[in-house]
């Protein structure tokens, strides 16, 4: 038997990888199957590199001895701008002298993008007076051009904007990407997307058109009414189309010959939604032959081309559609007549409607909300986000959806609908187009619904950057939220490209503020409360703990190397604040943000001392930097930061452990002490676990933790012999708890444990969202402990098969696509036996740790073991 053909990847990019920034992109592969004794001893890479005109630049192969198969170095010459490589790989068994080569992989395609020196195009924007900022319309820009020759051999459009852009070639939309180019600090890094448009370009007459909108660049964004013109006052598009034909190469780029005019989007806002007036669309405007003599010349705008960069992560796209589960006649939130639409699932997206023919000027309005109260949309929690879309018809039937907005919602209200029939509507689900990599299931449908809620909150909030919520006038990249959730996210989806890209922004903003990591990234003005100079524990620690989580899942050492200065800078800054006594007990802290005792009007009022939380995080991040340094071979740094972590832990014990202060005797305080390894010895850990279990029991098996404690509390219990208490907490239906949310109809994770009160009314607090992922970080414990699938080495080169049944569950399973292939653990209890099945990918080993069995090491393949097992019960069920 020979191994299967490798499945080949390039960096963290989907296939085909166009417009990448790496000149030596790393390669990874996995084998779906191989003989039991197979061990890779060598691999051969073959690559063929060509220029856009088809000229061969390199065509060769190389054999490399060794077992490496994850993020291995590029074997050939660096890829120049526009170069295209098709790469294949095959492997050879190192365990047999006469082993031959296995089959070749399917080719992976990678194309390098443009460098700053390759751009001839200018940034161009509307050249007319756009009027007051409150009423300016989204502009259209176009240019006609000729392509000589008889055959188009290849064509690439390189595209970005100040604002948001969507391109059309000869009347056809380019690509499926949404909200391009996404959100970065535009004066530091501006992403460029590359599109294969060979099929859209033709010889002879052509036309290129672009829609533009304000987006994050100059649209209203932020707290307390928001800020306009955050990054500039003029939107513009940077487009360079390169066409290769039998007659040569044609380059069409932005310049003064382009034309501009106001478009049919009379309102285009990320918070407020869009108004599209079909009567204002110039027919054929992006097609050849259109008469643009009445349009205005464009303005050529300044641009520092050195900030242009390729994206690391995937773009935002529509990843599916939700059909309504019900459409009923009902009044809107202001009493307007219309139709109430329930899509059955809270999500990020936008509507698509098919509106029948009606008199010109008919306006159909769609409003959005997460929940209902009193039988209609509840919009107070949106604060100053209007979340309203409108289409004004020109008399003809139209299928329409907004272009440059996104909403967080489950319910929509449609008013102005022509006729008596119910609206024809679907919701288009939008988020970064990441591949799903993790799954969980159990014998408890409520627990499965909880896990599904976690998945949907991730999908809803990974919209180009990791946001806090997708619906209200916020939607910012809060560092504390993703710090808590990164391990869960890395299991469930391939977030490495997206979060790696966001970490570049974190580093840039950290440099901008002198070592401080802002509480949200990118940074924008935050009203009266949020000061960019604040150093906040748990939030700034995203600089250390997000790279750590990504490395644990992917084994990407280059990411650690790139983010190392940022991580060190954060720990050094905080160590300086802590001073020689190693206690970070100064300054405003968010602490255990939104623990369940925090009143609606004061989310800062938590049970746990915020400076205890701060000192604990300093120790945790110092330890994280020490481990990074060790991985990177920086032994002196590893020793120095390891010593710092020890000193902070000692100071923490002296100040906070056994102090008698009730703010130090909380679920979060003990969870931090245990999981962050701040206690002195096993006996102290076990005592802390017993005390934590007592607090959980005395609290009626309800959660007493906020953003700091929630990711840790179940681990703190299970790792100190309190597994039954962990299950009792997990499976409790008493409020506050995860399953109490489920009982109240949640389809995502809430911001507050009581975003909806037990009587079904909405929490009166101004800050109330039904779609935040931070409290869903418990899913990481479901994967590692309940199902029993946990990495021991970065990238799952070795991992644990260590299920811990409990809580009355009779089965559970988790599956994760590791860099080496799919790993899986599934267990069930039947006839007094615990039956454990697992799948170990080729190139990895698993350490079996099942109660009642001797430890064992498992090679690749499928395995089943059985052990005596009593049906476990949680204290909650006794």
């Amino acid at each position: 038997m020979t191994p299967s053909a490798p499945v080949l990847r390039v960096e963290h990019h989907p296939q085909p990888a166009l417009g990448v920034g790496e000149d030596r992109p790393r390669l990874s592969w996995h084998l779906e199957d191989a003989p039991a004794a197979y061990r890779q001893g060598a691999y051969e890479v073959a690559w063929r590199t060509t220029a856009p005109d088809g000229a061969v630049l390199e065509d060769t192969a190389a054999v490399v001895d060794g077992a490496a198969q994850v993020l291995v170095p590029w074997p050939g010459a660096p890829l120049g701008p526009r170069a295209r490589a098709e790469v294949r790989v095959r492997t050879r068994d190192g365990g047999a002298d006469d082993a031959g080569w296995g089959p070749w992989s399917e080719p992976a395609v990678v194309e390098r993008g443009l460098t700053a020196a390759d751009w001839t195009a200018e940034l161009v924007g509307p050249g007319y007076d756009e009027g007051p900022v409150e009423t300016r319309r989204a502009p259209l820009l176009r240019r006609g051009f000729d392509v000589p020759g008889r055959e188009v051999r290849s064509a690439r459009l390189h595209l970005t904007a100040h604002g948001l852009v969507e391109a059309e070639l000869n009347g056809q939309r380019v690509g499926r990407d949404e909200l391009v180019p996404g959100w970065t600090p535009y004066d530091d890094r501006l992403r460029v997307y590359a599109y294969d448009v060979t099929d859209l370009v033709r010889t002879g007459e052509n036309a290129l058109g672009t829609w533009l909108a304000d987006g994050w660049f100059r649209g209203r964004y932020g707290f307390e009414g928001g800020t306009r013109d955050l990054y500039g006052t003029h939107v513009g598009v940077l487009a360079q189309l390169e066409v290769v034909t039998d007659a040569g190469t044609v380059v069409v780029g932005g310049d003064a010959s382009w034309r501009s005019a106001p478009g049919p989007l009379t309102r285009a806002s990320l918070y407020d939604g869009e108004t599209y007036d079909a009567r204002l669309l110039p027919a054929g405007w992006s097609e050849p032959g259109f008469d643009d003599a009445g349009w205005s010349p464009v303005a050529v705008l300044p641009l520092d081309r050195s900030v242009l960069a390729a994206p690391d992560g995937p773009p935002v796209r529509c990843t599916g559609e939700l059909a309504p589960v019900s459409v009923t006649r009902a009044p809107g939130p202001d009493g307007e007549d219309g139709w109430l639409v329930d899509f059955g699932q809270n999500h990020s997206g936008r509507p698509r409607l098919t509106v029948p023919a009606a008199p010109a000027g008919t306006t159909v309005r769609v409003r959005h909300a997460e929940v209902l109260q009193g039988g209609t949309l509840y919009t107070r929690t949106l604060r100053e986000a209007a979340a309203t879309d409108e289409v004004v018809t020109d008399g003809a039937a139209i299928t329409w959806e907004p272009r440059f907005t996104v909403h967080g919602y489950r319910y929509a209200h449609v008013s102005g609908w022509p006729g008596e029939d119910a609206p024809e509507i679907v919701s288009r689900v939008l988020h970064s187009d990441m591949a799903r990599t993790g799954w969980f299931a159990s014998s408890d449908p409520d627990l499965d619904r909880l896990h599904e809620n976690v998945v949907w909150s991730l999908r809803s909030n990974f919209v180009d950057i990791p946001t806090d919520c997708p619906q209200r006038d916020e939607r910012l990249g809060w560092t504390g939220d993703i710090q808590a959730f990164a391990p869960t996210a890395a299991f469930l989806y391939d977030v490495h490209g997206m979060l790696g890209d966001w970490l570049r922004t974190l580093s840039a903003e950290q440099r901008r503020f002198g070592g401080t990591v802002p509480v949200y990234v990118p940074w924008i003005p935050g009203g009266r409360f949020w000061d960019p100079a604040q150093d906040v524990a748990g939030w700034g620690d995203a600089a250390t703990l997000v790279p750590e989580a990504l490395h644990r899942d992917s084994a990407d050492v280059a990411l650690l190397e790139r983010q190392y200065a940022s991580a060190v800078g954060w720990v050094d800054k905080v160590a300086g604040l802590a001073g020689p006594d190693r206690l970070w007990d100064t300054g405003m802290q968010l602490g255990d943000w939104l623990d369940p005792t925090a009143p609606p009007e004061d989310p800062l009022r938590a049970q746990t001392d915020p400076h205890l939380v701060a000192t604990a995080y300093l120790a945790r991040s110092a330890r994280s930097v020490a481990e990074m340094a060790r991985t990177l071979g920086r032994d002196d740094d590893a020793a120095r930061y390891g010593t710092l972590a020890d000193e902070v832990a000692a100071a923490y014990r002296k100040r906070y452990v056994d102090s008698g202060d009730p703010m130090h005797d909380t679920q979060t305080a003990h969870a931090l002490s245990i999981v962050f390894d701040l206690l002195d010895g096993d006996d102290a850990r076990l005592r802390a676990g017993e005390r934590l279990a007592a607090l959980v029991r005395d609290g009626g098996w309800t959660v007493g933790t906020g953003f700091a404690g929630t990711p840790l509390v179940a681990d703190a219990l299970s790792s100190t012999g309190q597994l039954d208490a962990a299950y009792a907490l997990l499976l409790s239906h008493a409020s506050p708890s995860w399953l109490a949310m489920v009982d109240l109809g949640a389809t995502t994770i809430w911001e507050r444990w009581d975003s909806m009160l037990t009587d079904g009314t909405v929490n009166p607090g101004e800050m109330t969202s039904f779609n935040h992922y931070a409290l869903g970080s418990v899913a990481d414990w479901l994967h590692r402990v309940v199902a029993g699938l946990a990495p021991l080495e970065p990238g799952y080169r070795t991992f644990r098969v260590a299920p811990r049944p409990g809580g009355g569950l009779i089965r559970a399973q988790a599956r994760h696509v590791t860099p080496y292939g799919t790993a899986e653990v599934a267990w069930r209890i039947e006839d007094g036996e615990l039956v454990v099945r697992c799948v170990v990918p080729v190139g990895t080993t698993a350490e079996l740790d099942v109660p009642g069995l001797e430890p064992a090491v498992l090679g690749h393949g499928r395995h089943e073991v059985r052990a005596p097992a009593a049906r476990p019960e949680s204290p909650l069920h006794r």
Side-chain angles (χ1 to χ4, degrees):
M1 177 182 174
T2 59
S4 60
V7 179
L8 182 61
R9 306 181 303 283
V10 181
E11 288 288 343
H12 300 293
H13 303 304
Q15 277 291 299
L18 304 183
V20 306
E22 300 91 354
D23 63 350
R24 298 180 63 88
R26 297 166 298 171
L27 306 175
S28 302
W29 58 88
H30 69 269
L31 306 180
E32 295 289 352
D33 197 16
Y38 177 86
R39 298 291 182 272
Q40 179 184 300
Y43 62 89
E44 183 176 16
V45 183
W47 66 100
R48 189 173 191 266
T49 306
T50 55
D53 62 3
V56 176
L57 304 175
E58 193 174 13
D59 190 357
T60 188
V63 174
V64 179
D65 290 331
Q69 63 184 87
V70 172
L71 298 170
V72 303
W74 179 254
L79 297 177
R82 307 180 182 86
R84 173 187 179 91
E86 293 192 6
V87 193
R88 298 182 299 154
V89 67
R90 61 179 180 173
T91 66
R92 186 170 61 195
D93 190 348
D97 294 337
D98 59 348
W101 289 102
W104 286 103
S105 69
E106 290 295 317
V109 173
V110 57
E111 285 187 12
R112 178 96 185 277
L114 304 181
T115 66
D118 301 305
W119 284 91
T120 57
E122 301 280 357
L123 181 72
V124 294
Y128 53 85
D129 182 1
E130 294 186 84
V133 295
E134 295 83 6
T135 59
R136 58 194 177 197
R137 286 161 56 182
L140 302 175
L141 278 68
R142 77 176 304 277
R143 181 192 164 178
F145 61 96
D146 288 322
V147 173
R150 294 170 298 175
E151 177 191 7
V152 175
R153 293 178 175 170
S154 72
R156 299 291 184 269
L157 176 63
H158 304 273
L159 184 69
T160 191
H162 280 173
L164 299 177
V165 63
E166 186 179 297
E168 295 184 9
L169 257 172
N170 296 327
Q172 300 295 312
R173 179 177 174 179
V174 174
R176 300 186 296 113
D177 302 350
E178 307 288 355
L179 306 180
V180 170
W183 188 12
T184 55
Y186 296 88
D187 58 355
D188 175 78
R189 192 164 53 94
L190 178 59
R191 300 193 200 107
V192 177
Y193 288 82
Y195 300 95
D196 183 348
V197 293
T198 306
D199 293 340
L200 299 181
V201 181
R202 52 190 180 239
T203 58
E205 193 176 0
N206 292 261
L208 174 61
T210 61
W211 301 73
L212 276 174
D214 294 349
W216 295 278
F217 186 79
R218 71 172 189 183
R220 181 178 74 86
Y221 217 74
F223 299 104
E224 299 174 13
T227 303
R228 295 184 187 271
D229 299 338
L230 282 165
Y231 297 97
T233 58
H234 294 85
V235 291
V237 60
L238 181 69
Q240 186 158 306
L241 174 65
E242 301 185 349
V243 184
V244 177
T245 74
D246 57 319
T249 299
V250 176
V251 179
V252 179
D255 57 28
S257 69
W258 284 52
R259 310 288 286 177
S260 62
L265 294 179
T266 62
R267 182 175 60 96
S269 164
L270 289 165
Y271 282 167
D272 297 329
E274 286 187 12
T275 297
Y276 171 78
D277 192 335
R279 301 169 299 179
L280 302 178
L281 178 67
W285 72 278
S286 64
E287 298 179 20
F290 177 78
D291 183 3
D292 60 13
W295 288 31
S296 301
V298 293
V300 177
L301 304 171
L303 176 69
D304 176 5
R305 291 189 177 91
S306 70
V307 305
L308 300 176
D312 291 331
V316 174
R317 292 188 178 124
C318 173
T319 62
E321 291 186 354
L322 294 175
V325 297
S326 67
V327 181
T328 55
R329 281 278 190 187
D334 296 324
E336 67 272 31
D337 184 45
W339 297 86
L340 179 63
V341 183
D342 179 4
F343 290 104
Q345 174 62 58
N346 201 4
H347 65 287
S348 63
R350 59 197 187 203
R352 174 177 282 181
L353 296 91
T354 299
V355 183
T362 297
T363 300
V364 177
R365 180 174 293 110
V366 186
R367 300 181 68 178
H368 307 80
E370 295 185 287
V371 294
L372 304 179
Q373 192 162 294
T376 191
L377 299 189
Y378 192 78
T379 59
R380 179 188 64 82
T381 52
L382 299 177
R383 299 192 303 216
E384 296 188 49
T388 300
D389 299 319
E390 297 171 317
V391 56
V392 183
T393 71
D394 62 2
I398 182 174
T399 297
W400 164 84
E401 74 172 277
R403 274 184 167 81
F404 297 116
T405 193
V406 64
H407 308 293
Y409 67 113
R410 169 177 172 171
Y411 300 95
H413 187 266
V414 181
S415 58
W417 188 259
E420 295 300 317
D421 293 335
E424 187 176 338
I425 183 172
V426 297
S427 186
R428 308 261 289 166
V429 178
L430 264 66
H431 55 78
S432 295
D433 193 11
M434 310 159 293
R436 183 79 183 264
T437 58
W439 296 264
F440 172 86
S442 76
S443 56
D444 186 330
D446 290 336
L447 187 59
D448 289 357
R449 180 67 248 189
L450 168 65
H451 191 269
E452 189 68 3
N453 292 358
V454 175
V455 171
W456 274 103
S457 279
L458 183 156
R459 294 178 68 181
S460 302
N461 284 293
F462 275 54
V463 181
D464 192 67
I465 66 166
T467 61
D468 59 323
C469 61
Q471 76 296 102
R472 68 187 180 211
D473 58 344
E474 191 165 350
R475 313 185 198 183
L476 301 175
W478 286 91
T479 45
D481 298 49
I482 191 58
Q483 174 273 127
F485 192 67
T488 303
F491 186 93
L492 292 173
Y493 277 86
D494 184 356
V495 299
H496 299 88
M498 179 197 161
L499 289 182
D501 198 295
W502 178 79
L503 283 169
R504 292 183 188 271
T505 297
L506 183 147
S507 297
E509 300 289 47
Q510 183 182 8
R511 291 191 296 270
R512 175 183 172 193
F513 293 115
T516 293
V517 176
V519 290
Y520 46 78
V521 168
W523 171 260
I524 62 172
R528 65 185 183 277
F529 189 69
W530 301 113
D531 179 354
Q534 291 171 279
D535 294 290
V536 180
W539 276 252
D541 296 280
T544 60
L545 302 184
V546 175
E548 177 188 270
L550 295 180
H551 174 254
R552 184 185 306 119
D553 189 75
S554 68
D556 190 345
V557 175
L559 175 73
L560 293 187
E561 186 71 61
R562 194 188 76 201
Q563 295 301 132
Y564 185 72
S566 166
V568 166
W570 169 250
V571 171
D572 286 350
K573 179 82 185 294
V574 174
L577 295 173
D581 67 357
R582 298 309 195 198
L583 291 169
W584 188 9
D585 55 3
T586 59
M588 193 282 289
Q589 293 294 334
L590 298 180
D592 194 27
W593 177 253
L594 287 179
D595 88 359
T597 65
E601 71 281 0
D602 189 2
L604 279 170
R605 201 191 307 167
Q607 304 170 76
T608 306
D609 184 341
H611 294 116
L612 176 152
V613 175
T615 301
Y617 265 101
L618 172 55
R620 175 71 175 87
S621 277
R623 190 77 65 197
S624 177
V625 168
E627 290 302 316
M628 284 188 201
R630 191 169 292 109
T631 299
L632 297 173
R634 302 171 185 250
D635 294 340
D636 290 346
D637 280 4
R640 179 158 58 95
Y641 288 103
T643 298
L644 173 62
D646 291 341
E647 292 171 353
V648 175
Y652 176 95
R653 290 192 294 273
K654 183 177 179 181
R655 174 72 172 270
Y656 298 115
V657 177
D658 298 327
S659 68
D661 189 327
M663 293 189 75
H664 307 160
D665 184 28
T666 65
Q667 289 186 24
T668 289
H670 294 297
L672 288 165
S673 299
I674 293 165
V675 179
F676 285 4
D677 198 19
L678 302 176
L679 301 174
D680 188 13
D682 290 342
D683 288 345
R685 292 184 77 255
L686 292 175
R687 287 195 302 273
E690 290 171 355
R691 179 58 186 157
L692 175 57
L695 290 172
V696 170
R697 182 188 62 246
D698 294 347
W701 308 113
T702 60
V703 177
T705 57
F707 279 28
T710 297
L712 312 175
V713 63
D715 262 312
L717 289 165
S718 61
S719 67
T720 54
Q722 305 296 328
L723 182 66
D724 283 352
Y727 269 108
L729 185 63
L730 173 71
L731 298 176
S732 172
H733 288 262
S735 182
S737 68
W738 291 282
L739 296 190
M741 291 187 201
V742 172
D743 291 342
L744 286 168
T747 63
T748 44
I749 299 298
W750 299 345
E751 178 179 25
R752 297 174 178 266
W753 292 105
D754 60 350
S755 285
M756 181 171 286
L757 306 181
T758 53
D759 64 1
T761 60
V762 177
N763 187 300
E766 177 188 348
M767 192 183 68
T768 299
S769 157
F770 292 88
N771 206 344
H772 270 60
Y773 49 60
L775 300 181
S777 52
V778 70
D780 181 48
W781 188 76
L782 300 183
H783 306 146
R784 292 183 292 101
V785 179
V786 175
L789 175 57
L792 286 172
E793 283 186 76
Y796 290 77
R797 189 66 185 255
T798 63
F799 62 92
R800 293 182 76 216
V801 174
R804 292 296 182 263
L809 297 181
I810 59 172
R811 59 178 171 81
Q813 65 184 73
R815 177 162 51 99
H816 180 56
V817 181
T818 80
Y820 295 90
T822 301
E824 184 173 1
V825 177
W827 61 264
R828 70 182 189 276
I829 295 174
E830 61 181 24
D831 300 328
E833 279 192 316
L834 171 63
V835 182
V836 180
R837 292 192 176 100
C838 63
V839 178
V840 182
V842 178
T844 71
T845 57
E847 294 187 6
L848 183 69
D849 180 3
V850 172
L853 294 180
E854 288 296 318
V857 176
L858 307 176
H860 67 259
R862 297 179 178 273
H863 305 271
E864 179 179 308
V865 297
R866 293 172 178 261
R871 181 166 178 157
E873 294 290 343
S874 136
L876 184 67
H877 298 114
R878 290 176 185 163

